[in-house]
Amino acid sequence: MNPFTVHRGKVAVLDWTDVNTDLIIPARYLKRIERVGYGKLLFADKRYAAGGAPPIDEPDKHGPLDPSFPLNRPENQGASVLVVGRNFGCGSSREHAVWAVAQAGYAVVIAPGKDEGFADIFEGNALNNGLLAVEVPQADWDRIVELAGPGGAEAVVDLRSLTITVTAGAATVEVPFFIPETRRERLLQGLDSISETLLLETDIARYEQSSPAWIRPTTA
Amino acid sequence: MPATLFQKVWDRHVLSNTNEATLLYIDRHLVHEVTSPQAFDGLRLAGRKVRRPDLTFATIDHNVPTEDQLNIGDPLSRRQIETLRSNARESGVNFYDIQSGRQGIVHVIGPELGITLPGTTIVCGDSHTSTHGAFGALAFGIGTSEVEHVLATQTLWQGKRPAALGVEVTGVLPPGLEPKDIILAVIRAIGTAGGTGTVIEYYGPAIRALSMEGRMTVCNMSIEGGARAGLIAPDDVTFEYFTKTERPFAPKGAALDAAIADWKTLATDPDAQFDSHVTIDASKLVPQITWGTNPAMTVDADGRIPTLEELPASVREEAGRAYQYMGLTPGTPVSEIPIDVVFIGSCTNGRIEDLRAAAQVMKGRKVAPGVRTLVVPGSEQVRSQAHAEGLDRVFEEAGAEWRQAGCSMCLAMNPDRLQPGQRAASTSNRNFEGRQGPGGRTHLVSPSMAAAAAVTGRFTDVRRLLDR
Ligand code: SF4
């Protein structure tokens, strides 16, 4: 995973609450066994005009976009910072949802409310894919949306100083964001957690030896 | 230090604890075909092996056609199933293939095979892993990167210990109501994000009175309230699940006695504190029906679709979209809403007691004209038990389709799905847009409420059909 330090990019806003992972990527696309190719499948049943969602195995063969879907507005094209509503990523644990967001070109997702902005599993999945999911206080989120809602705003998200600076024309807002320290460090260093854990092999083996006999599955 | 059940199970499994990061040992890893291919691929690419194939249990559920399991028409479903087969073969994990006698929805077979045990940690690349918490296990869903991590290390990194949310259910559940009504009422009370960052413990007399299957239904939908997991302290009902029926992978004889002695220590200490707490009175409940596009948008079976003014300001924007998607007019009595499809099944309500509850309503009645009713057992074992009890005949005589085991119409990954605009009474767990098929409209209900909808063609308070 690449280390994450600071990201600068255009901001898009999708201010719906309770956006679930079935909406982010419909279940039928989970038949894919690859880890790439999900960008065009992001919000497939919302993003394309009726009947235009791509076939499961041919993400590039999609119909025309639905102009009423917020992320399709011309000023949102090329955005890499996504501002979303509360409880984003709720529902199914599918990591495909994070793959879709990241592969559609977003590097940062910003939601309102500490511990309420993202569903737990989505947040963990984001971390494991180097997608920065950050929560900001509701009042700060409101200010970001007010500034970036019309489109064309730019954000600088700095993981070292834990600040987001959004600029639109002459106006600027700077807000602090929250992320647990261990997550921040892992993202800053771009660590591969499996190789890290494998260094603890002695501890794991010792734990296994000390566990009670009944916990081992009997062979059947 | 007095501790809650959740804290006890968590603390037992902590391998390393630094800053805010905790490494947990994982006792059981359940695997299905949808969220595992990329994880096995990742292992292969890194030249790693599955560390504990004996603690890893795989089956096929999401993609399986339930009319004829062996006839998988969709080449992509077939490829995904084949991928799990070859990954299972190569890695040596336990694997229950279609028509092995043990295949089924991963959360149904875990308990019935005795893979699920009190006091253990259980993970699966599936959010409804919370189901297994019914046994007093700490069980939760993980993403595919984490599946790969558990395959490679049998451990999982977590942040600091989540908060404990106590959900107390008092009173006695009235006749005609089911565990599903309890959990729908809980989610309605706490909201879809009410449990975010927490693990729920359900307790109180109405929880104690539930069977293991009822407890599984309750814990299953913890994730719909935003919680990572839901647990219930093991008690005599739990122990009997292992002593009365032999479970293949569970301890037996002296080992079982030792296990039970240990399980008895898991209960929340009397003076332990939950970080937060809610109480629901089961005796005041009436059957619950979801009306909207998230599982907290729920009304009473004798109620009406709420109007915008009746809803809190914070949910109005979402409710506005929900009316439109669901094709509903605010203020309409629920009993006037006709339905097209009934789905009885899933990891929430696809166990034998659920089928019995549905059969009790359907016995001697006919499915209403124009309504399609699917009854789908959660596992091959549930299916054979239903045959032994003659439930299959009750369903077929009523005009319902009796199917083979799988996730079926819970999610649109196999041939069982709603057509655009169709309205379903469903015993599954998610009423999200498109969940049961693009454009499909889902109302979540209990098995007996689903059966009542099937025989009347509209939502009907099942209590009116039961006293005959
Ligand atoms: S029955 Fe539904 S919720 Fe349960 S595992 Fe299958 S798809 Fe998921």
Side-chain angles (χ1 to χ4, degrees), chain A residues 66-95:
Chain A
D66 176 348
S68 71
F69 182 59
L71 297 183
N72 287 342
R73 286 170 25 204
E75 58 274 23
N76 283 336
Q77 300 320 298
S80 60
V81 175
L82 181 61
V83 179
V84 298
R86 198 169 283 254
N87 200 23
F88 187 80
C90 59
S92 153
S93 61
R94 61 189 70 166
E95 194 162 315

Side-chain angles (χ1 to χ4, degrees), chain A residues 23 34 51 129 139 146 155 179 185:
Chain A
L23 207 62
E34 300 81 9
N129 287 274
E146 196 184 326
I179 183 169
E185 247 154 47

Side-chain angles (χ1 to χ4, degrees), chain B residues 62 105 107 126 128 346-347 407 410-411 429 435:
Chain B
H62 289 63
I105 304 171
H107 310 308
D126 194 287
H128 290 102
S346 86
C347 60
C407 294
C410 177
L411 97 172
N429 42 47
R435 171 77 179 183

Side-chain angles (χ1 to χ4, degrees), chain A residues 19-200:
Chain A
V19 169
N20 62 68
T21 53
D22 276 83
L23 207 62
I24 298 173
I25 182 158
R28 59 184 184 279
Y29 295 115
L30 275 52
K31 291 184 188 182
R32 298 167 52 83
I33 58 172
E34 300 81 9
R35 210 175 179 126
V36 293
Y38 292 92
K40 295 261 169 70
L41 306 177
L42 177 68
F43 292 113
D45 287 340
K46 289 281 169 195
R47 174 177 178 177
Y48 302 104
I56 296 167
D57 236 16
E58 292 170 289
D60 291 325
K61 260 177 81 182
H62 57 79
L65 298 174
D66 176 348
S68 71
F69 182 59
L71 297 183
N72 287 342
R73 286 170 25 204
E75 58 274 23
N76 283 336
Q77 300 320 298
S80 60
V81 175
L82 181 61
V83 179
V84 298
R86 198 169 283 254
N87 200 23
F88 187 80
C90 59
S92 153
S93 61
R94 61 189 70 166
E95 194 162 315
H96 311 65
V98 166
W99 299 337
V101 171
Q103 291 167 21
Y106 298 102
V108 183
V109 192
I110 303 170
K114 183 163 178 280
D115 294 337
E116 290 178 346
F118 296 99
D120 294 336
I121 306 180
F122 183 91
E123 214 172 1
N125 288 340
L127 173 73
N128 286 325
N129 287 274
L131 174 70
L132 183 63
V134 300
E135 294 172 337
V136 297
Q138 180 74 49
D140 290 333
W141 185 89
D142 291 343
R143 289 163 64 208
I144 294 176
V145 169
E146 196 184 326
L147 196 61
E154 275 243 343
V156 177
V157 183
D158 193 332
L159 189 56
R160 295 161 308 188
S161 63
L162 298 174
T163 53
I164 301 169
T165 313
V166 182
T167 314
T172 294
V173 290
E174 184 179 312
V175 309
F177 66 82
F178 167 82
I179 183 169
E181 187 50 30
T182 44
R183 295 198 165 178
R184 182 169 94 114
E185 247 154 47
R186 273 190 54 196
L187 286 163
L188 284 171
Q189 299 176 33
L191 289 176
D192 163 9
S193 63
I194 296 182
S195 32
E196 241 189 305
T197 310
L198 287 172
L199 298 175
L200 301 170

Side-chain angles (χ1 to χ4, degrees), chain A residues 15-18 20 22-23 27-28 30-35 38 45-46 56-57 87 90-96 99 115-116 118-121 124-125 128-129 180-182 185-186 192-198 200-201 203-205 207-208 214-220, chain B residues 12-13 15 19-21 23 25 27-28 34 37-38 48 51-52 54-55 63 74 76-77 79-80 83 118 120 125-127 141-146 148-149 153 155 157 192-193 196-197 226 228 248-250 252 255 259 262-263 294 317-318 321 411 413 430 432-433 435:
Chain A
D15 62 354
W16 301 350
T17 48
D18 290 322
N20 62 68
D22 276 83
L23 207 62
R28 59 184 184 279
L30 275 52
K31 291 184 188 182
R32 298 167 52 83
I33 58 172
E34 300 81 9
R35 210 175 179 126
Y38 292 92
D45 287 340
K46 289 281 169 195
I56 296 167
D57 236 16
N87 200 23
C90 59
S92 153
S93 61
R94 61 189 70 166
E95 194 162 315
H96 311 65
W99 299 337
D115 294 337
E116 290 178 346
F118 296 99
D120 294 336
I121 306 180
N125 288 340
N128 286 325
N129 287 274
E181 187 50 30
T182 44
E185 247 154 47
R186 273 190 54 196
D192 163 9
S193 63
I194 296 182
S195 32
E196 241 189 305
T197 310
L198 287 172
L200 301 170
E201 171 57 33
D203 296 322
I204 301 172
Y207 181 91
E208 285 173 329
W214 59 260
I215 219 157
R216 258 158 257 146
T218 55
T219 13
Chain B
R12 278 180 176 200
H13 291 86
L15 271 171
N19 295 328
E20 287 173 338
L23 187 66
Y25 190 79
D27 296 314
R28 301 285 187 272
V34 180
Q38 296 86 353
R48 292 175 179 138
R51 187 172 194 284
R52 292 294 301 268
D54 59 321
L55 302 183
N63 280 275
D74 178 355
L76 291 172
S77 288
R79 182 181 69 164
Q80 193 156 58
T83 304
T120 56
D126 194 287
S127 59
I142 57 177
T144 296
S145 298
E146 293 173 311
E148 184 179 338
H149 190 278
T153 69
T155 65
W157 285 102
T192 50
T196 305
R228 256 347 264 290
F249 288 100
K252 296 164 190 79
D262 178 65
W263 297 344
N294 82 47
E317 174 262 345
E318 199 177 347
R321 279 185 282 130
L411 97 172
M413 278 196 80
R430 289 191 172 134
F432 299 154
E433 286 186 32
R435 171 77 179 183

